[in-house]
Amino acid sequence: RKEVEQDPGPFNVPEGATVAFNCTYSNSASQSFFWYRQDCRKEPKLLMSVYSSGNEDGRFTAQLNRASQYISLLIRDSKLSDSATYLCVVSGEELTFGTGTRLTIIP
Amino acid sequence: DTEVTQTPKHLVMGMTNKKSLKCEQHMGHRAMYWYKQKAKKPPELMFVYSYEKLSINESVPSRFSPECPNSSLLNLHLHALQPEDSALYLCASSQGAGVVDEQFFGPGTRLTVL
């Protein structure tokens, strides 16, 4: 079983829609959780950290469920510029990356 | 300055060449990392430097040799690479020595080995 699993997609979503991704992790001792986005042929960029209480940044909401060992990302009112690969990242002794979910927003 | 810079942006080298990748950050971060990323795959950790000392080597072949001359600089020396080493090489840094901190990535060096 992979340490961090994501649905690779692709998710093709119309502009303005709401889209949600989930990510599961296997190491219950994991301490920190992040969502990164990566545009084609670019470096990963931190989108948001994920806190136990959940957190929101504009159109983006991240949730952590330690009991079920998953994190989620919700994007509301999606924009064309949201098209990217979204990487779930879990930190224990190292950062472990999920395989990424490819999102394409369709005009 | 919240930027990690990497040079060169692109590199093409033969299997007998020796080249170096460079990474620099001026955020006062104490940990720096090298990752390798193949197309459509997530980054794979290669090395971690913490307070200028190598703390993690993920069983990387010796044809890759990291160096941390000071707290702001990280190099990756390349020698006798194979075509399968062609990839995007990403440098990252984080504030603390612990890897639990969020990491900031440079733009990467796209390496092609002929």
Side-chain angles (χ1 to χ4, degrees):
Chain A
R1 183 186 170 186
K2 290 180 185 170
E3 290 186 54
V4 180
E5 290 201 60
Q6 291 182 253
D7 182 342
F11 284 59
N12 298 314
V13 172
E15 191 175 8
T18 296
V19 60
F21 312 133
N22 279 339
C23 166
T24 57
Y25 61 95
S26 59
N27 184 354
S28 59
S30 298
Q31 298 176 40
S32 302
F33 308 88
F34 309 95
W35 283 103
Y36 281 74
R37 71 169 276 169
Q38 186 170 25
D39 294 288
C40 190
R41 302 180 72 82
K42 299 280 190 182
E43 75 273 22
K45 291 190 175 175
L46 180 67
L47 180 65
M48 56 200 306
S49 303
V50 188
Y51 304 119
S52 297
S53 54
N55 46 305
E56 188 173 311
D57 183 2
R59 297 182 293 109
F60 299 84
T61 300
Q63 298 277 353
L64 167 64
N65 185 318
R66 282 192 186 270
S68 301
Q69 294 184 206
Y70 77 83
I71 67 174
S72 65
L73 178 68
L74 182 80
I75 306 174
R76 289 181 298 278
D77 187 25
S78 53
K79 312 287 184 198
L80 296 176
S81 57
D82 294 334
S83 297
T85 296
Y86 289 82
L87 295 161
C88 166
V89 182
V90 174
S91 178
E93 295 183 350
E94 301 175 357
L95 278 197
T96 302
F97 286 79
T99 49
T101 298
R102 178 87 187 107
L103 172 67
T104 301
I105 305 300
I106 303 165
Chain B
D1 185 359
T2 56
E3 204 177 43
V4 178
T5 58
Q6 288 187 246
T7 56
K9 205 168 180 177
H10 300 276
L11 178 62
V12 179
M13 61 186 290
M15 289 191 282
T16 57
N17 291 156
K18 282 186 182 180
K19 296 285 184 184
S20 296
L21 309 185
K22 296 186 184 302
C23 174
E24 191 167 3
Q25 58 88 12
H26 293 290
M27 295 179 276
H29 288 176
R30 306 311 306 209
M32 295 184 76
Y33 313 81
W34 280 115
Y35 288 86
K36 173 183 176 180
Q37 187 175 24
K38 301 282 267 185
K40 299 187 191 294
K41 298 285 187 185
E44 296 174 30
L45 183 65
M46 299 174 73
F47 302 105
V48 180
Y49 271 83
S50 175
Y51 287 93
E52 300 164 47
K53 289 190 183 345
L54 183 65
S55 61
I56 294 177
N57 175 343
E58 291 286 355
S59 303
V60 179
S62 60
R63 57 186 185 268
F64 295 91
S65 174
E67 179 199 16
C68 190
N70 60 54
S71 59
S72 300
L73 291 173
L74 186 66
N75 298 324
L76 186 63
H77 302 297
L78 315 173
H79 174 54
L81 295 194
Q82 304 296 311
E84 59 264 29
D85 296 323
S86 298
L88 179 68
Y89 287 84
L90 293 160
C91 173
S93 69
S94 66
Q95 187 170 25
V99 294
V100 296
D101 290 342
E102 57 203 27
Q103 295 182 6
F104 297 87
F105 286 84
T109 293
R110 192 160 295 280
L111 174 68
T112 302
V113 182
L114 301 176

